Amino acid sequence: ALALAEDFVEGDRLVAILGDNLFEENLAPYVRRFERQGSGARILLREVEDPQRFGVADVKNGKVVRIVEKPKRPRSRLAVTGCYMYDARVFDIIRRLRPSGRGELEITDVNNAYIRQGRLSYDVLKGWWQDAGSSFEAYARAGALARALKLRSDS
C-alpha cells in the first residue's frame, strides 16, 4: 500500500500511520525529530507485555540492529508501532523487495533495509499505544482507550 503513495509524495519525506493504531501521545514531536534528522527512516517503539504478537526491535548500544516479525522468542519487549517515517528512498527499497512467505511485501523488510544502510532511527513511546487490529481483545481495549481519551478531553 505504501508504494501507491509515491506519486503523491513527489520525492519528499513521508509519515505513514496504520489506520488501526491509536496513540496516547501527540506524535508531532517525533515527526519534528524526523524532520531534523534529514534523511533515512524513523520508527516508534513501545514496550509491551506480549511482544511475540508484533514486529520486535532488537536494540544494541542505542541502535536497532534488526526487526523480527512475530518472533517466537523475542529478544526484547520493544514492539514496532504502526507509525513509520521515511525519506523518498523508501520507494526504491520497496521496488527491490521480494514477497515474504505469506506472499506479501512486508514493512518489516523495509525497516530492515534501512537498518542495513545504517539509516534507521527510533524513539520509544511513553504513553500507551494500541494496535486495534491485532485481536478482538485489542479492538475492545482500543474502544475503551478512545472513550477514556474523549472523557479526558471533555473535562
Side-chain angles (χ1 to χ4, degrees), residues 65-113:
V65 295
R66 74 177 175 159
I67 298 170
V68 178
E69 190 63 30
K70 297 179 179 67
K72 288 185 174 80
R73 293 193 179 111
R75 291 188 176 224
S76 81
R77 292 177 40 197
L78 293 172
V80 178
T81 71
C83 181
Y84 310 99
M85 298 170 241
Y86 299 116
D87 63 14
R89 290 185 191 107
V90 70
F91 301 109
D92 294 329
I93 291 170
I94 291 169
R95 278 189 280 280
R96 290 191 303 268
L97 290 180
R98 297 292 167 247
S100 68
R102 300 186 312 158
E104 298 181 12
L105 301 179
E106 305 283 351
I107 201 74
T108 295
D109 294 335
V110 170
N111 293 330
N112 279 320

Side-chain angles (χ1 to χ4, degrees), residues 2-15 91:
L2 186 58
L4 298 174
E6 186 170 14
D7 290 338
F8 176 77
V9 172
E10 296 180 338
D12 204 354
R13 291 174 286 174
L14 67 101
V15 177
F91 301 109

Side-chain angles (χ1 to χ4, degrees), residues 39-140:
S39 65
R42 181 171 288 272
I43 58 173
L44 300 180
L45 306 175
R46 179 66 170 96
E47 190 169 324
V48 297
E49 294 295 322
D50 51 355
Q52 65 281 359
R53 291 180 43 226
F54 305 101
V56 176
D58 185 3
V59 178
K60 293 202 183 346
N61 301 320
K63 292 190 179 252
V64 177
V65 295
R66 74 177 175 159
I67 298 170
V68 178
E69 190 63 30
K70 297 179 179 67
K72 288 185 174 80
R73 293 193 179 111
R75 291 188 176 224
S76 81
R77 292 177 40 197
L78 293 172
V80 178
T81 71
C83 181
Y84 310 99
M85 298 170 241
Y86 299 116
D87 63 14
R89 290 185 191 107
V90 70
F91 301 109
D92 294 329
I93 291 170
I94 291 169
R95 278 189 280 280
R96 290 191 303 268
L97 290 180
R98 297 292 167 247
S100 68
R102 300 186 312 158
E104 298 181 12
L105 301 179
E106 305 283 351
I107 201 74
T108 295
D109 294 335
V110 170
N111 293 330
N112 279 320
Y114 275 102
I115 290 168
R116 285 190 299 277
Q117 295 172 8
R119 303 175 63 80
L120 183 110
S121 300
Y122 72 95
D123 292 293
V124 178
L125 295 170
K126 294 169 186 60
W128 55 257
W129 158 69
Q130 184 64 54
D131 178 354
S134 62
S135 69
F136 290 118
E137 294 79 14
Y139 181 72

